Amino acid sequence: MPKYKTIKPPRGMHDQFEEDLLKIESVISIASEIARSYGFKRIETPTIESIEVFTNTGDKTIDKCFTFMDKSNREMILRPDINAPISRAIVNHSSSQPLPQKIFFHGSVFRYRKSYRREFIMFGVETYGIAEPIADAEILRVVVDLIKRLGFKKYTIEYSNLSIFSRLIKFLSKTDKVNVNVEELIYKLRFHNKKEQKSILNKIGFQKKSEELIMDFLSCPEVNKNSFNLLKKVAAMDKSIEIEALSVLNFRDELLKQQLSNCIFKISNLHGESFYSGLTYRLYLSTEMGDGGRYDNFTLLLGGLYIPATGLGFGISRLIRLAEAESILIPIKTNIKYLVRIVRGSEETVRPYLRLLRKQNIIVNEIPEDYKDDRLMPFAIKGGYHRIFVIKSFNKISGLYEVWSINIVDGTNKKFSTYGLKDIFNCS
């Protein structure tokens, strides 16, 4: 026989078994239940999308995605996120899905990156058709309800508004008479240190006073008071900045109305500059759990009408890891589980009864007759079974069963004889 090479999953892809999947299913079930209680409805979109869904919405990271040509020579992409596909679905089905739409989603997303995981299950909560910050605050309330239900005690919400900085740059470039691509500048500034940021601004030709104001913005300490003081200062400079500043204040009020605590306004946060259109927010536990914000222009960029939109997404497995790091046990719904081995000749009478047990939501795993006694207990413990039932013999003439029963929970076992199947599986 030739020896074949062992084949492993592609890098960043992982096999998952029952123990991990039960945790994932539990978190998804709880999150879905909470989302539905706020009036959100589930949506499912294709795993594969036309690449234009993402290139049209301005994402700069297509090179970090899984893309390929289909057999009709059309460029496709494995969805790296959920906002653009859901926006595409809203555009495609606008006549049958009246606004506002409150939607939740769970499914795999794929990112080609240097990471342990390139495929992960994301849960997202999205609202379409509501421009007011009440929608953003409600989404955060849904996710905070989830983490509290799971058992987390502390969280922090950090929020900002990307439009404030972009409008400030536009205003200063106009007054200083310099030409600048605002989006490219923000992207550069975000990934450089303070010295390099100054050099970038100096090369563009901003006046010293403008440069100092931009640097104040970028290095503003992570304290609410500092951010709000700077917000007040820049809002007084231009009407367009004042409008965006007002949205921050309104959002702060909505967070209070939703009784969300530990909320920090960080004006210097430029996260998501190529994705979000305005208000952004991040949720932290011991580290970042998920992020979200406004993408009000997505439906327009995808060929539809302008529809204000906002949403937040997070990785399910990441949330589980954060829970386990804090010794929080993910609640798993467990059915009674029986491990059963039956003797040859008893199948016709025993198996119909096993099916009745399964209809009662009892998990019954029948294993082969040649499965050795000494292997039963390790198998049952690892599989989370509650009882082992071994039918050692069956007399077809008299109907007598010889049974060995083991209680995994307390370790007791007994051997007995009976004529009734009900006596076997109801025994203590």
Side-chain angles (χ1 to χ4, degrees):
M1 287 286 291
K3 183 168 177 153
Y4 295 101
K5 181 181 177 182
T6 301
I7 302 171
K8 295 183 178 181
R11 181 181 176 185
M13 311 294 180
H14 300 273
D15 302 310
Q16 296 187 98
F17 292 90
E18 179 82 345
E19 185 179 354
D20 291 328
L21 291 174
L22 284 174
K23 295 175 185 177
I24 292 170
E25 289 170 7
S26 177
V27 173
I28 289 174
S29 177
I30 295 169
S32 300
E33 176 190 330
I34 293 170
R36 286 191 172 104
S37 73
Y38 281 84
F40 289 82
K41 298 178 180 179
R42 187 183 169 200
I43 189 173
E44 182 62 81
T45 65
T47 304
I48 298 172
E49 293 277 357
S50 298
I51 198 168
E52 290 82 8
V53 171
F54 291 91
T55 55
N56 286 13
T57 49
D59 198 330
K60 292 180 179 293
T61 57
I62 294 298
D63 60 325
K64 297 179 181 177
C65 299
F66 286 89
T67 60
F68 61 96
M69 305 300 292
D70 71 5
K71 292 184 178 181
S72 297
N73 207 35
R74 295 169 298 196
E75 194 167 9
M76 298 291 170
I77 185 170
L78 288 177
R79 61 185 178 207
D81 216 314
I82 60 174
N83 310 87
I86 294 177
S87 297
R88 192 248 331 128
I90 291 292
V91 171
N92 293 159
H93 302 279
S94 58
S95 60
S96 61
Q97 301 293 327
L99 298 174
Q101 282 288 314
K102 295 166 66 174
I103 291 169
F104 73 92
F105 164 98
H106 56 81
S108 290
V109 296
F110 305 83
R111 295 175 185 173
Y112 196 88
R113 57 189 183 180
K114 294 180 180 179
S115 174
Y116 172 70
R117 285 194 177 275
R118 291 180 171 183
E119 175 190 8
F120 59 96
I121 299 174
M122 178 175 279
F123 193 97
V125 190
E126 324 284 320
T127 297
Y128 289 80
I130 301 177
E132 293 75 21
I134 185 175
D136 308 85
E138 183 182 50
I139 285 170
L140 284 164
R141 181 73 261 178
V142 169
V143 182
V144 168
D145 282 2
L146 167 64
I147 62 176
K148 283 184 169 291
R149 176 87 70 87
L150 292 177
F152 290 93
K153 301 299 182 185
K154 296 179 180 180
Y155 67 88
T156 301
I157 294 170
E158 183 184 284
Y159 61 99
S160 186
N161 186 330
L162 292 172
S163 290
I164 293 172
F165 188 65
S166 63
R167 291 180 187 277
L168 175 63
I169 295 295
K170 287 178 183 178
F171 173 78
L172 294 176
S173 62
K174 186 177 180 180
T175 56
D176 291 358
K177 297 179 181 180
V178 295
N179 293 319
V180 59
N181 184 311
V182 176
E183 188 175 311
E184 287 185 5
L185 175 61
I186 294 174
Y187 187 78
K188 286 180 181 178
L189 291 174
R190 186 183 164 208
F191 295 104
H192 288 82
N193 60 37
K194 192 172 182 178
K195 184 178 179 180
E196 292 168 335
Q197 288 171 342
K198 283 185 176 181
S199 176
I200 291 169
L201 294 173
N202 186 262
K203 287 179 181 178
I204 291 173
F206 281 109
Q207 295 181 14
K208 186 176 180 181
K209 188 176 179 181
S210 298
E211 184 181 315
E212 289 175 350
L213 179 58
I214 295 171
M215 290 306 302
D216 285 345
F217 198 107
L218 294 171
S219 58
C220 185
E222 298 181 27
V223 180
N224 269 331
K225 183 179 178 181
N226 295 322
S227 286
F228 280 114
N229 285 342
L230 184 55
L231 178 69
K232 184 178 179 181
K233 179 179 179 180
V234 297
M237 298 173 66
D238 183 72
K239 186 66 177 179
S240 67
I241 303 175
E242 182 184 351
I243 292 171
E244 296 300 333
L246 184 60
S247 74
V248 170
L249 299 177
N250 290 338
F251 181 57
R252 178 193 62 182
D253 293 342
E254 289 298 336
L255 292 173
L256 292 171
K257 291 175 185 177
Q258 287 285 2
Q259 297 180 311
L260 292 165
S261 56
N262 303 319
C263 300
I264 299 173
F265 173 48
K266 185 181 176 184
I267 197 169
S268 59
N269 182 9
L270 301 181
H271 169 73
E273 82 293 329
S274 65
F275 191 83
Y276 297 116
S277 58
L279 192 69
T280 63
Y281 37 88
R282 280 172 152 180
L283 187 62
Y284 290 85
L285 297 171
S286 56
T287 185
E288 183 182 348
M289 171 199 157
D291 69 273
R294 284 271 159 189
Y295 45 98
D296 295 328
N297 57 343
F298 270 27
T299 52
L300 199 62
L301 295 170
L302 291 167
L305 300 174
Y306 172 84
I307 300 174
T310 186
L312 180 147
F314 60 89
I316 295 291
S317 294
R318 180 179 181 82
L319 177 57
I320 292 171
R321 289 196 299 272
L322 290 172
E324 292 174 343
E326 296 189 24
S327 300
I328 295 172
L329 296 177
I330 300 298
I332 297 175
K333 183 181 178 182
T334 55
N335 294 42
I336 296 173
K337 296 178 70 174
Y338 292 164
L339 186 64
V340 179
R341 192 184 76 193
I342 63 177
V343 68
R344 189 174 286 107
S346 66
E347 299 95 339
E348 290 184 8
T349 57
V350 175
R351 283 179 178 159
Y353 194 82
L354 297 183
R355 287 196 291 272
L356 287 175
L357 293 175
R358 293 182 181 113
K359 287 181 180 179
Q360 298 170 29
N361 291 322
I362 296 173
I363 296 171
V364 183
N365 183 7
E366 182 189 339
I367 57 174
E369 184 184 8
D370 59 1
Y371 205 86
K372 303 294 184 182
D373 288 354
D374 60 357
R375 296 173 63 194
L376 288 173
M377 184 65 83
F379 184 90
I381 292 172
K382 186 172 179 61
Y385 290 90
H386 299 89
R387 303 289 294 272
I388 300 173
F389 295 99
V390 178
I391 298 178
K392 289 282 194 179
S393 66
F394 172 60
N395 189 315
K396 285 188 176 183
I397 297 173
S398 66
L400 182 69
Y401 298 92
E402 296 290 340
V403 183
W404 178 32
S405 170
I406 306 171
N407 189 324
I408 305 297
V409 178
D410 60 19
T412 60
N413 73 89
K414 67 177 184 177
K415 297 179 180 180
F416 60 95
S417 303
T418 181
Y419 291 96
L421 287 169
K422 188 174 182 182
D423 293 335
I424 297 175
F425 298 101
N426 286 349
C427 69
S428 59

